[in-house]
Amino acid sequence: MTRTPPPTPHPVTVIGCGLRGAPLPPGHAAALAQAQVVAGGARLLDAFPGHPGQRIVIGGALDEALDAIGQCRARGLRVAVLADGDPLFFGIGARLAAAFGPGALRVLPAASSLQQAAARLALPWQEARCVSLHGRDDFRPLTAALRDAGHTGGPVCVLTDGCNTPGAIARFLLSRGVGGLRLHALADMGSPGERHAVFDLPHFPLSPDDAGDAPAPEDAAARLRELDSLGGNCTVLLVPDAAPSLSAPPPPLVLGIPDGDFAVQARLITKWPVRAAGLAALRIAPGHTVWDLGAGSGAVSVEAAALARHGLVVAVERDPARVALIKENRRRFRTPNLHVVHGELPGCLDGLPGPDRVFIGGGLGGGGGLGGAGLGGDGHSPHEDPLLDEVCRRLPPGGRLVAHCVLLGTLERVRAALARHGWPSEVACIQASEAVPLLGDLRLAAMNPVFIVAATRPEGDAA
């Protein structure tokens, strides 16, 4: 008895639909007409009420829809999946390719939301950085894109959702001191109710003392409310300000930035040779979360942000004047992945995201209001150290701590705390000198020696 072989599955045709109400191109329309099964979101399915085929609604239960599509293919049915714009631009196409394999797809794209938005602004987009904030609980993809775009001059395209709305994006950028951008938010493109809102991010933080054309705080608040009214289903374009006097590229963001490029207080800054050595000891990867405790002017934080370009750097400082300096240096070097916390250590660490790397420069000084009977001025004793104990608790296995120590007492304090936790430590002493003028020639002036203590939390070490 001869068995009938199973039918050969047809490729899944993924059809990109244009703007709302726009007819499909002839090739797309012909592919849809041949389909026996049509899958897509409810809105896209409703746009083709006369299609006679079976319907699969793609909603929250995506895996169930993919299973249904696979079953229809196994029965030899022709399946078409409707998508917005370009299915492979943050769309369903990537998930279909993962589920069935790229060879099982036939993709017929339409113009993406980025293309549609850029066309409305007559904006070249070949150098655009694109990110989707759908389902994200942080803005790390956006800060990484902004860092890259800040050095190329290209726009950044952002796809939003109900939480990461245009208004939320604008407020985040304002909080990080990001300026020199015009935010365009486009909603319901192609529909009769299409809307386009604009918000200018000034080159300096908004305040009543701002000069020039920067919007007054009242105007900014009104524009933020307009962004909020657009909802979450928007395309946002962040376009650099083209003003010639303000569009100069930022200073190079590298290890060993000249000390004079930073805004500092009374020349209090970790000198660049020591900074570079300490950051090398931290071994920061691009996606790491880094704490800089006792950040001072933020010089270490700024350079750490260059290394953790897809991650997050948190600079903690208790002195309000130095907090202002950190924010100025963040603006000066365009490091939106640098978050500034004004607070007392170690209490302010509770709400911070868990670190992969911790740098302590000025966070081990005396004072701080942590003193008590039998404790040092900041609460440490031979048997407990509130700050270092908390850092050791929060770092995961494989996480790394680096502390700069000028005083021998601080060196012994760090080594004792690490020994108490059973962490092997490494100690190096950096003593650099720099050439300074003398009698028409140069002499070497010694910088203060700095001990660099580094330790990695052992794998398997339980909290």
Side-chain angles (χ1 to χ4, degrees), residues 114-173:
L114 165 60
Q115 290 173 287
Q116 296 285 3
R120 282 156 170 72
L121 304 178
L123 177 71
W125 59 273
Q126 66 270 13
E127 293 187 359
R129 287 293 311 272
C130 306
V131 297
S132 174
L133 297 180
H134 278 284
R136 297 284 310 196
D137 59 1
D138 61 51
F139 287 97
R140 294 193 190 196
L142 176 57
T143 58
L146 284 168
R147 275 189 32 76
D148 292 342
H151 293 271
T152 64
V156 174
C157 174
V158 188
L159 304 184
T160 66
D161 66 10
C163 294
N164 301 307
T165 62
I169 292 169
R171 289 181 176 87
F172 170 76
L173 297 178

Side-chain angles (χ1 to χ4, degrees), residues 74-96:
R75 289 160 45 201
L77 300 177
R78 297 181 183 273
V79 180
V81 178
L82 303 176
D84 280 314
D86 184 344
L88 296 173
F89 181 72
F90 298 107
I92 189 68
R95 188 66 184 272
L96 291 169

Side-chain angles (χ1 to χ4, degrees), residues 398-414:
R400 194 158 170 85
L401 163 67
V402 169
H404 281 186
C405 307
V406 175
L407 303 177
L408 292 176
T410 307
L411 170 64
E412 289 307 311
R413 169 184 172 182
V414 175

Side-chain angles (χ1 to χ4, degrees), residues 116-342:
Q116 296 285 3
R120 282 156 170 72
L121 304 178
L123 177 71
W125 59 273
Q126 66 270 13
E127 293 187 359
R129 287 293 311 272
C130 306
V131 297
S132 174
L133 297 180
H134 278 284
R136 297 284 310 196
D137 59 1
D138 61 51
F139 287 97
R140 294 193 190 196
L142 176 57
T143 58
L146 284 168
R147 275 189 32 76
D148 292 342
H151 293 271
T152 64
V156 174
C157 174
V158 188
L159 304 184
T160 66
D161 66 10
C163 294
N164 301 307
T165 62
I169 292 169
R171 289 181 176 87
F172 170 76
L173 297 178
L174 287 170
S175 74
R176 291 292 172 90
V178 176
L181 296 174
R182 173 165 285 188
L183 184 154
H184 296 268
L186 296 104
D188 301 318
M189 285 189 288
S191 74
E194 177 175 327
R195 290 174 291 169
H196 177 193
V198 178
F199 184 85
D200 286 321
L201 291 151
H203 284 266
F204 298 96
L206 293 177
S207 75
D209 298 325
D210 281 346
D213 296 327
E218 299 80 11
D219 187 24
R223 294 186 190 181
L224 287 170
R225 288 193 294 271
E226 182 184 6
L227 291 178
D228 291 333
S229 72
L230 298 179
N233 187 21
C234 298
T235 300
V236 168
L237 281 173
L238 297 166
V239 183
D241 189 338
S245 62
L246 296 174
S247 58
L253 190 54
V254 294
L255 288 185
I257 296 171
D259 298 340
D261 289 356
F262 289 97
V264 299
Q265 181 186 59
R267 301 183 65 184
L268 295 175
I269 184 173
T270 303
K271 302 301 188 290
W272 75 261
V274 180
R275 230 171 30 239
L279 287 165
L282 271 175
R283 303 170 191 169
I284 298 171
H288 277 164
T289 295
V290 183
W291 288 357
D292 180 5
L293 307 183
S297 65
V300 170
S301 295
V302 165
E303 293 189 3
L307 297 171
R309 58 187 179 276
H310 299 304
L312 175 68
V313 177
V314 182
V316 179
E317 175 57 52
R318 69 177 181 177
D319 183 272
R322 294 176 185 174
V323 167
L325 290 173
I326 300 171
K327 292 180 178 179
E328 165 57 21
N329 287 320
R330 177 178 63 187
R331 182 202 65 79
R332 186 175 295 187
F333 290 94
R334 300 185 192 176
T335 51
N337 57 331
L338 171 54
H339 176 51
V340 184
V341 174
H342 180 202

Side-chain angles (χ1 to χ4, degrees), residues 39-88:
R43 177 179 58 80
L44 290 173
L45 291 174
D46 290 344
F48 301 96
H51 195 284
Q54 175 185 342
R55 297 188 168 222
I56 298 174
V57 178
I58 299 178
L62 180 56
D63 288 339
E64 294 181 10
L66 293 175
D67 289 343
I69 291 171
Q71 292 171 14
C72 290
R73 288 189 72 228
R75 289 160 45 201
L77 300 177
R78 297 181 183 273
V79 180
V81 178
L82 303 176
D84 280 314
D86 184 344
L88 296 173

